[in-house]
Amino acid sequence: MKNRRKTALSSARGTRMIPSADVSGDRGTDETNLDESFRPLPSNGICERLGDKWTVQVLWRLSLADERRLRFSALQRETEGITQRMLTLTLRNLERDGLVARHYYPEVPPRVEYELTGLGVGILQALQGVNRWVRSNMPVVERNRRVYDKGQECR
């Protein structure tokens, strides 16, 4: 059977995957047969959340906490470049989605700690596949970027 690629087709009713023409050439180092039942879900906010600048970094930092909770200040200190406001918004969104649990202690000063939920651990497991793909295909992506950038200079 020849290699076939699926292409996203957008319409007013949403995005769906359709088979496109035969594919040849460099496909990276990871040959994977996609599950034929794969269908992107309509916009539900999860992909946008995972695609923002800080969400995956905060999830990753919490995963490194080794089954203990992290205080807000520790998360901010360990997430390079994040502002207090962005960390607050990111944590609120993750808590709203059920990926992070917030623990408030009414002390003076108040103490707030965060930890991954089972759902948060599950999304990290899913992201491991993406991370493996990036590691094995980054040389190809970098080469493609150089070729593209070189072609842009000639225009």
Side-chain angles (χ1 to χ4, degrees), residues 2 8 14-15 19 23 32 43 50 64 87 92 96 108-109 112 118 123 129 139 141 143 147:
K2 293 183 178 180
T15 302
V23 178
T32 305
S43 178
L50 293 173
L64 296 177
L87 181 56
R92 282 183 188 162
R96 180 175 181 250
V108 178
V112 181
I123 196 73
V141 170
R143 186 187 72 224
V147 168

Side-chain angles (χ1 to χ4, degrees), residues 58-124:
V58 169
L59 290 171
W60 176 62
R61 288 292 174 193
L62 287 169
S63 76
L64 296 177
D66 208 23
E67 296 187 26
R68 60 184 173 83
R69 300 171 182 169
L70 283 182
R71 294 183 74 163
F72 183 94
S73 58
L75 268 171
Q76 186 174 12
R77 186 174 46 254
E78 294 176 15
T79 309
E80 188 177 322
I82 195 167
T83 64
Q84 180 176 345
R85 174 167 167 67
M86 285 310 304
L87 181 56
T88 298
L89 291 173
T90 300
L91 287 166
R92 282 183 188 162
N93 287 326
L94 290 170
E95 183 182 10
R96 180 175 181 250
D97 289 343
L99 301 173
V100 168
R102 178 180 185 264
H103 303 277
Y104 175 78
Y105 301 93
E107 303 168 346
V108 178
R111 179 169 46 116
V112 181
E113 297 176 341
Y114 297 89
E115 68 179 329
L116 289 176
T117 64
L119 199 58
V121 171
I123 196 73
L124 280 174

